[in-house]
Amino acid sequence: MSLDVAAVRADFPVLARRARGGHPLVYLDSGATAQKPLAVLDAERDFYLRHNAAAHRGAHLLSEEATDAYEGARARVAAFIGADPGEIVFTRNATEAANLIAYSVGNAATSGPSGGRPAGPAAERLAVGPGDEILVTELEHHANLVPWQQLCLRAGARLRWFPVTAEGRVDLSGIGALVTERTKVVAVTGQSNVTGAMPPVAAIAAAAHAAGALAVVDGAQLVPHHSVSVRETGADLLFFSSHKMLGPTGIGVLWGRREVLEALPPFITGGSVIEVVRMEGSTFLPPPQRFEAGVPAAAQAVGLAAACDYLDAVGLDAIAEHERALTERALEALTAIPGVRVLGPLTTERRGGAVSFTVDGVHPHDVGQVLDELGIAVRTGHHCAWPLHRALGVQASTRASFYLYNTAEEVDALADGIRTAQKFFGAG
Amino acid sequence: MSLDVAAVRADFPVLARRARGGHPLVYLDSGATAQKPLAVLDAERDFYLRHNAAAHRGAHLLSEEATDAYEGARARVAAFIGADPGEIVFTRNATEAANLIAYSVGNAATSGPSGGRPAGPAAERLAVGPGDEILVTELEHHANLVPWQQLCLRAGARLRWFPVTAEGRVDLSGIGALVTERTKVVAVTGQSNVTGAMPPVAAIAAAAHAAGALAVVDGAQLVPHHSVSVRETGADLLFFSSHKMLGPTGIGVLWGRREVLEALPPFITGGSVIEVVRMEGSTFLPPPQRFEAGVPAAAQAVGLAAACDYLDAVGLDAIAEHERALTERALEALTAIPGVRVLGPLTTERRGGAVSFTVDGVHPHDVGQVLDELGIAVRTGHHCAWPLHRALGVQASTRASFYLYNTAEEVDALADGIRTAQKFFGAG
Amino acid sequence: MELESMYQEVILDHYRHPHHKGLREPFDAQVHHVNPVCGDEVTLRVALKGAGGEPAVADVSYDALGCSISQASVSVLTDVLIGRPVSEAMEIASAFTELMHSRGRAEPDEDVLGDAVAFTGVARYPARVKCALLGWMAWKDATARALAGQDREQG
Amino acid sequence: MELESMYQEVILDHYRHPHHKGLREPFDAQVHHVNPVCGDEVTLRVALKGAGGEPAVADVSYDALGCSISQASVSVLTDVLIGRPVSEAMEIASAFTELMHSRGRAEPDEDVLGDAVAFTGVARYPARVKCALLGWMAWKDATARALAGQDREQG
Ligand SMILES: Cc1ncc(COP(=O)(O)O)c(C=O)c1O
Ligand SMILES: Cc1ncc(COP(=O)(O)O)c(C=O)c1O
């Protein structure tokens, strides 16, 4: 299986634009957000121009069409990750999905899944309270860390974590001591947005389950780049963002095993999530409706479905292989430059296409500035993974991240740009 | 000031489509969601095609442009409601904004605004706990009711409410007894989505302030239809949805007075909201960043800004007067039909353009079905205001709601359609 | 107008003159179902009888508030299901559910569904499918409870 | 390349050879500021002296981790502000802040800003403005605290 990059690039008009100094744009920041193919923009616009109405909020023709489009998008996303449509909850983004879980397990202490008071062993198993523990890793993006810290603050629970190895992988050696009967949730990234490391989520999920804990996977960097079958991850809950997988901003996805979603109380409430509302109290619908309050982001869901179509048409395996080759080239090129330190694994084994690095004597901001001046868009800073940077002994880094539209020449341009930065700042 | 409806309609291609039975579409469901002018769709698409990047997450040209576009949208929305840009928080929709407030005042019991432990009189004034009271009205949309019920469940607080009058307005006669020193929040709609009633929010806010409570206004039906200057509402916090004011789905707005936003702890956490993150705990940025976790919905913000431009170009006062005239015509036409009962005030005084009604002997679903068959899109059911319907002694209703693109002929078509429904079901 | 194809004469007849309406004794289970969109509700009771080991539907009684479709549908249900062995009634209920989810593209079997075929046109209107199914869902729920003898504990 | 217009020789000089670096005694207030995007940080101390009633900037000392812009900027700050009356220093800081928010469209006044005019080109890169302002914000904060005598309570 192989990928026709030139054909792909033709679908992304922004890639043809010029960046600073008239240089062709070299977009190596898909880890932050991906560019959008025309098919996605067309799908969204077509929805607005022909079927726009409030999905699930009317009985007229347009609202029927909007509901069909929205639910069709749910089914499409479900198929994309090997799930049932009823297991797909549309959120605002990956971050909101993580918060949904963290708040919901906190709410389970005072609310049953359908409203009213919590009851039964399922509720007890979920609810997080004083003495309970949440387990994360030191590699996490802030989106899969801070919500858990805040949950612990609210619930009087304790946050623990797997440390990171010098290679930028999760250090699982202490797993026996870390996963205990006090552990309520184990939340781990499917792929680090800094080191590219892909932790063995199935093994971690199995350990979580053996202790009776929920296994949560941050799929924000995993789902856009690999063919993912959620059941094979072993996770109970997995989330990701549309905008990192060619889809629109403003929408994300939470997948959950049916029994788990059914046991979780609501998070954001309002219209569309309710069964019966009285001033004295309300009851709630089954999932996924229970978790989708308010008029839904139907146009964005339709755009995300079109992104799934696009990715499947190119082929996730072809995309993964294309990225692997680019990553390999980048690892080789960058490690060959004296003074450059790559922050993740140096081979492409169980490793995705985020390549973060430091340059001796040149601050990441300054590296990024020189690259930007050459038209090369990378990310600089801690990439919302500050504890990971601290653990690796660096304050910040520069990150190049690849996607289906990137080319080998762009990787070479990156390496050349780094050398230019070194020269400019008299380093290396 | 007057409004050229034909010119306006030309900007909304969907209005030219045919509905069921080949009838021209008569869209009277803008209370659920508004249609979008081309200018909004073009603005969003242009953003994706030329400037797409993660706003606030990079130092390269595209991300600078995306940040400018996003922050420019914030300033535009602020100007639209007479606020400062720093007082505008982008949310997912109005519903999420209401939840943000409800969760944040709950979180204030365990978290200070910038993280850490809560401290000081400002935190105490905000925090909702056992014995405290939240005051709403019986007219509220579920979005401004259920989140408060859930807060009360979590915090051990008590929900109280202003009842509704037979005319579908808020009954303020008991205000002296309802607003007490136990009241922490008074949350009231700016305009009912069912009866169109516009409660005297400034007076209610003043009563709330006199008791030391926060005044929250649900502006979802207010902001799209009237020239609103947030300071004049007297509110501390006011929220609305983009999709009801010609903008994209997937984005909403929370406005808050600076001091109030500054005192509120974060709700959804993750990237972009933080100052410093350590595994042991995090601190948070000032508003609005504190409340915008994750990669923002930049394209949708840009679309919303374009919707503000569009509305201002037509003129909010002209729009309000246009809707007033349509509402007056509808009230006259509907009350003239025997067997039709309008659920709100019968004059246009302090009343917006939502006209809900029942038809003796014909269930709202059946009224809606006949209208749909005639190409007329209305909403049927309880419109996410179930307690209000119960209070008015009806199970459900049919609602027509107007916007700048509706015409007098469409109002007449509605009245004719109701008569057709009566005839078909042998009623009236 | 297409209205006639949706609102078949049979439906309007049942709506105006519902069959078997009212809550009756004895019953083995009672349920209350609501359509969360419009607040339509039905309280429905099922009485079973054991005829030679095979349980059968002895009676279905109900009280309902709602639109023509939901009212007519539960009325037709009583006509079609009362007297049938439970297994057969369950099959009919499944066939009806399937028909309603067919988007109007299915060929309903009148031998199985009887008057319930009149709802074929409703299936073209997804927002109304819930109305048509309200009583049937309640019946399935009540019957399952009756079979499980749950009613005894719940009173 | 445009790089030279951003990274003026003055900036690179200060970056490579920072002035007044290191934390010194005595001081009236110390603050620690962080750039949340990249983790750049500065610890900055201010010592004031009362010259004929008008307080003046006696010393600014600092320790900083960060990019060329943030490092050079705080170094230039010490050159420009040390020795000035506080009121004048505040005006310079305001002028610098304004310059940095000008998007590179402002005409900086070299008489007021001295070497700090070298940062004019940085103002064209909004993402770097925070870098250039890090030290200046810290200085304003520390000076305000010193003036308020807050340092005494906070130790
Ligand atoms: C009065 C009122 N408040 C709140 C909402 C909720 O808005 P959204 O569904 O966009 O969150 C609506 C509309 O649904 C409304 O009419
Ligand atoms: C690993 C990881 N998790 C979570 C997120 C959060 O995604 P979003 O900002 O779209 O909510 C990101 C990206 O920002 C990420 O890279």
Side-chain angles (χ1 to χ4, degrees):
Chain A
M1 226 182 312
S2 106
L3 189 153
D4 180 349
V5 193
V8 164
R9 289 179 70 89
D11 295 328
F12 294 79
V14 72
L15 298 178
R17 75 166 265 186
R18 297 271 145 179
R20 282 226 162 79
H23 292 283
L25 172 66
V26 175
Y27 188 74
L28 301 183
D29 198 18
S30 297
T33 201
Q35 297 301 338
K36 323 298 175 203
L38 283 171
V40 166
L41 305 186
D42 290 346
E44 218 181 325
R45 191 179 175 94
D46 182 67
F47 172 83
Y48 281 130
L49 285 178
R50 304 207 293 138
H51 312 295
N52 179 61
H56 288 299
R57 296 250 176 130
H60 55 80
L61 178 66
L62 249 60
S63 80
E64 272 174 22
E65 291 176 0
T67 305
D68 280 355
Y70 182 63
E71 292 303 322
R74 191 194 305 281
R76 182 64 191 87
V77 170
F80 189 74
I81 56 171
D84 291 336
E87 298 176 326
I88 298 295
V89 175
F90 285 122
T91 63
R92 181 190 192 178
N93 51 21
T95 302
E96 191 189 73
N99 281 270
L100 189 165
I101 307 168
Y103 273 102
S104 183
V105 295
N107 290 349
T110 52
S111 168
S114 317
R117 291 278 147 194
E124 261 165 46
R125 179 175 166 255
L126 281 175
V128 172
D132 290 333
E133 292 180 1
I134 307 289
L135 182 55
V136 297
T137 86
E138 217 173 356
L139 272 87
E140 298 309 314
H141 187 280
H142 295 164
N144 198 31
L145 168 61
V146 187
W148 301 113
Q149 293 179 336
Q150 296 295 102
L151 165 64
C152 289
L153 259 186
R154 290 191 300 274
R158 178 179 173 209
L159 189 77
R160 304 188 71 185
W161 54 89
F162 292 105
V164 61
T165 68
E167 208 198 358
R169 295 198 186 269
V170 180
D171 176 356
L172 290 172
S173 59
I175 191 164
L178 282 168
V179 183
T180 73
E181 75 281 3
R182 285 185 302 279
T183 314
K184 282 294 175 96
V185 177
V186 181
V188 57
T189 189
Q191 178 170 319
S192 163
N193 67 314
V194 177
T195 69
M198 299 174 70
V201 289
I204 297 171
H209 289 154
L214 278 182
V216 174
V217 171
D218 174 352
Q221 297 289 343
L222 185 69
V223 171
H225 303 285
H226 306 271
S227 171
V228 169
S229 171
V230 280
R231 267 166 237 295
E232 284 167 22
T233 64
D236 297 299
L237 298 145
L238 181 148
F239 56 83
F240 51 99
S241 270
S242 156
H243 70 89
K244 291 189 202 280
M245 55 186 283
L246 313 185
T249 53
I251 191 163
V253 176
L254 170 66
W255 165 82
R257 283 199 300 112
R258 185 181 302 276
E259 320 82 82
V260 173
L261 287 183
E262 274 168 2
L264 287 172
F267 164 42
I268 291 187
T269 57
S272 304
V273 302
I274 57 88
E275 191 185 48
V276 176
V277 175
R278 302 179 181 278
M279 292 308 288
E280 295 77 13
S282 302
T283 55
F284 299 93
L285 291 171
Q289 277 71 35
R290 183 186 298 157
F291 302 107
E292 294 184 359
V295 170
Q300 287 76 35
V302 166
L304 172 57
C308 292
D309 286 345
Y310 190 92
L311 289 169
D312 272 342
V314 177
L316 262 295
D317 290 338
I319 293 171
E321 171 50 28
H322 178 72
E323 288 182 31
R324 200 205 53 74
L326 294 177
T327 306
E328 189 162 69
R329 191 181 186 102
L331 291 171
E332 274 169 24
L334 267 58
T335 50
I337 304 176
V340 171
R341 172 185 168 202
V342 170
L343 295 184
L346 298 182
T347 74
T348 58
E349 203 191 327
R350 292 201 297 108
R351 187 201 199 291
V355 180
S356 301
F357 56 92
T358 58
V359 181
D360 287 350
V362 193
H363 187 278
H365 256 334
D366 294 318
V367 175
Q369 194 75 42
V370 172
L371 293 175
D372 184 39
E373 215 58 61
L374 298 166
I376 304 168
V378 295
R379 184 152 171 202
T380 59
H382 51 60
H383 325 313
C384 301
W386 204 332
L388 170 60
H389 277 81
R390 221 177 268 118
L392 294 177
V394 299
Q395 182 200 349
S397 66
T398 305
R399 180 185 75 186
S401 51
F402 308 117
Y403 213 177
L404 69 169
Y405 37 62
N406 290 120
T407 65
E409 292 71 40
E410 292 181 319
V411 173
D412 299 345
L414 169 69
D416 287 343
I418 295 169
R419 279 184 288 264
T420 304
Q422 288 179 315
K423 211 173 307 160
F424 186 83
F425 286 98
Chain B
M1 229 183 308
S2 105
L3 188 154
D4 181 349
V5 192
V8 165
R9 289 179 71 88
D11 294 329
F12 293 79
V14 72
L15 298 178
R17 76 165 265 186
R18 299 271 144 180
R20 281 227 163 80
H23 292 282
L25 172 66
V26 175
Y27 188 74
L28 302 182
D29 198 18
S30 296
T33 201
Q35 297 302 337
K36 322 297 175 204
L38 284 169
V40 167
L41 306 186
D42 290 346
E44 217 181 325
R45 191 181 177 92
D46 181 66
F47 172 82
Y48 281 130
L49 284 178
R50 304 206 293 139
H51 312 294
N52 179 61
H56 287 299
R57 296 248 179 132
H60 54 81
L61 177 66
L62 250 59
S63 80
E64 271 174 22
E65 291 176 0
T67 305
D68 281 354
Y70 182 62
E71 292 303 322
R74 191 193 305 280
R76 183 64 190 87
V77 170
F80 189 73
I81 57 170
D84 291 337
E87 299 176 324
I88 298 294
V89 175
F90 286 121
T91 63
R92 182 191 192 179
N93 50 21
T95 302
E96 191 188 74
N99 280 270
L100 188 164
I101 307 168
Y103 273 102
S104 183
V105 293
N107 290 350
T110 51
S111 168
S114 318
R117 291 279 149 194
E124 260 166 46
R125 180 176 165 255
L126 280 175
V128 172
D132 290 334
E133 292 181 359
I134 307 290
L135 182 56
V136 297
T137 87
E138 217 173 356
L139 270 88
E140 298 309 313
H141 187 281
H142 295 164
N144 197 30
L145 166 61
V146 187
W148 302 113
Q149 293 179 335
Q150 296 296 104
L151 165 64
C152 289
L153 260 185
R154 289 192 300 275
R158 178 179 172 207
L159 189 76
R160 303 187 73 184
W161 55 89
F162 292 105
V164 61
T165 69
E167 207 198 0
R169 296 198 185 268
V170 180
D171 177 356
L172 291 172
S173 59
I175 192 164
L178 282 167
V179 183
T180 73
E181 76 281 4
R182 285 186 301 280
T183 313
K184 281 296 178 93
V185 178
V186 181
V188 57
T189 188
Q191 178 169 321
S192 163
N193 67 315
V194 177
T195 69
M198 300 174 69
V201 291
I204 297 172
H209 290 154
L214 278 183
V216 175
V217 171
D218 174 354
Q221 297 290 344
L222 186 69
V223 171
H225 303 286
H226 307 271
S227 171
V228 170
S229 171
V230 281
R231 266 167 237 293
E232 285 167 22
T233 66
D236 296 300
L237 299 145
L238 181 148
F239 55 82
F240 51 98
S241 268
S242 156
H243 69 90
K244 292 190 203 279
M245 54 186 283
L246 312 184
T249 54
I251 191 163
V253 175
L254 170 65
W255 165 81
R257 282 199 300 115
R258 184 181 303 274
E259 319 83 80
V260 173
L261 288 182
E262 273 169 1
L264 287 172
F267 164 43
I268 292 187
T269 56
S272 305
V273 302
I274 57 89
E275 189 186 49
V276 177
V277 176
R278 302 180 179 277
M279 292 310 286
E280 295 77 11
S282 302
T283 55
F284 299 94
L285 290 171
Q289 277 70 34
R290 183 187 299 159
F291 302 107
E292 294 184 359
V295 171
Q300 286 75 36
V302 166
L304 172 57
C308 293
D309 286 344
Y310 190 92
L311 288 170
D312 273 341
V314 177
L316 262 295
D317 290 338
I319 292 171
E321 171 50 27
H322 177 72
E323 288 182 32
R324 201 205 53 75
L326 295 177
T327 305
E328 189 162 69
R329 191 180 186 102
L331 290 172
E332 273 169 23
L334 267 58
T335 51
I337 305 176
V340 170
R341 172 186 168 201
V342 170
L343 295 184
L346 298 182
T347 72
T348 57
E349 203 191 327
R350 290 201 298 109
R351 186 200 199 293
V355 179
S356 300
F357 57 93
T358 58
V359 181
D360 286 350
V362 193
H363 187 279
H365 255 335
D366 293 319
V367 174
Q369 194 76 42
V370 173
L371 294 176
D372 185 38
E373 215 59 62
L374 297 166
I376 305 168
V378 295
R379 184 150 171 204
T380 60
H382 50 60
H383 324 313
C384 301
W386 204 331
L388 169 60
H389 278 81
R390 221 178 269 117
L392 295 176
V394 300
Q395 183 200 348
S397 65
T398 306
R399 179 186 75 186
S401 51
F402 309 116
Y403 213 176
L404 69 168
Y405 38 62
N406 290 120
T407 65
E409 293 71 40
E410 292 181 320
V411 173
D412 299 345
L414 169 68
D416 287 345
I418 295 170
R419 279 185 288 265
T420 304
Q422 289 180 314
K423 212 174 301 157
F424 186 83
F425 285 98
Chain C
M1 280 228 281
E2 294 266 310
L3 282 177
E4 285 78 8
S5 85
M6 170 164 185
Y7 292 111
Q8 303 264 325
E9 221 27 67
V10 179
I11 294 181
L12 293 177
D13 278 352
H14 275 276
Y15 172 47
R16 295 195 186 110
H17 313 288
H19 301 181
H20 303 104
K21 192 162 179 170
L23 293 169
R24 285 181 296 279
E25 306 269 352
F27 63 95
D28 296 303
Q30 170 175 319
V31 298
H32 179 76
H33 277 213
V34 176
N35 181 339
V37 174
C38 55
D40 280 6
E41 36 189 320
V42 62
T43 306
L44 185 143
R45 292 177 175 177
V46 167
L48 302 182
K49 63 184 169 204
E54 243 261 70
V57 183
D59 192 20
V60 179
S61 67
Y62 63 93
D63 208 7
L65 248 179
C67 65
S68 58
I69 303 297
S70 73
Q71 301 273 72
S73 172
V74 68
S75 170
V76 166
L77 175 151
T78 60
D79 278 4
V80 176
L81 300 189
I82 292 174
R84 304 259 183 185
V86 167
S87 59
E88 207 180 308
M90 281 287 178
E91 268 167 39
I92 296 172
S94 294
F96 184 73
T97 306
E98 203 177 291
L99 175 67
M100 294 318 298
H101 286 134
S102 73
R103 288 291 167 109
R105 284 186 292 263
E107 270 300 330
D109 185 341
E110 189 159 358
D111 289 348
V112 174
L113 291 170
D115 270 4
V117 295
F119 291 86
T120 307
V122 176
R124 285 189 293 114
Y125 299 85
R128 304 305 298 278
V129 166
K130 275 206 186 106
C131 311
L133 287 176
L134 184 64
W136 294 76
M137 292 300 178
W139 176 81
K140 275 199 216 176
D141 185 9
T143 302
R145 290 186 194 213
L147 289 173
Q150 288 179 351
D151 50 322
R152 238 132 265 156
E153 294 134 58
Q154 304 195 352
Chain D
M1 278 230 282
E2 295 266 312
L3 282 177
E4 284 77 9
S5 85
M6 169 161 184
Y7 293 109
Q8 303 264 327
E9 222 26 68
V10 179
I11 294 180
L12 293 177
D13 278 352
H14 275 275
Y15 172 47
R16 295 196 187 110
H17 312 288
H19 302 182
H20 302 103
K21 194 165 176 167
L23 292 169
R24 285 181 296 279
E25 306 269 354
F27 62 97
D28 296 302
Q30 169 174 320
V31 298
H32 179 75
H33 278 213
V34 176
N35 181 341
V37 173
C38 56
D40 278 8
E41 36 190 317
V42 62
T43 304
L44 185 140
R45 291 178 177 177
V46 167
L48 302 183
K49 62 182 170 204
E54 244 259 73
V57 183
D59 191 22
V60 179
S61 67
Y62 63 94
D63 208 6
L65 247 178
C67 65
S68 58
I69 302 296
S70 72
Q71 302 272 76
S73 173
V74 69
S75 170
V76 166
L77 175 151
T78 58
D79 278 3
V80 176
L81 300 189
I82 292 174
R84 304 257 183 185
V86 167
S87 59
E88 207 180 309
M90 280 288 175
E91 266 166 43
I92 296 172
S94 294
F96 186 72
T97 306
E98 203 178 293
L99 174 67
M100 293 318 296
H101 286 132
S102 74
R103 287 294 168 106
R105 284 187 291 263
E107 270 300 334
D109 184 342
E110 191 159 355
D111 287 348
V112 174
L113 291 169
D115 269 4
V117 295
F119 291 86
T120 307
V122 176
R124 286 189 293 114
Y125 300 84
R128 303 305 298 279
V129 168
K130 276 208 186 101
C131 310
L133 287 176
L134 185 64
W136 293 76
M137 292 299 179
W139 176 81
K140 275 198 214 175
D141 185 9
T143 303
R145 289 186 195 214
L147 289 173
Q150 287 178 354
D151 50 324
R152 239 130 265 153
E153 292 132 59
Q154 302 192 355

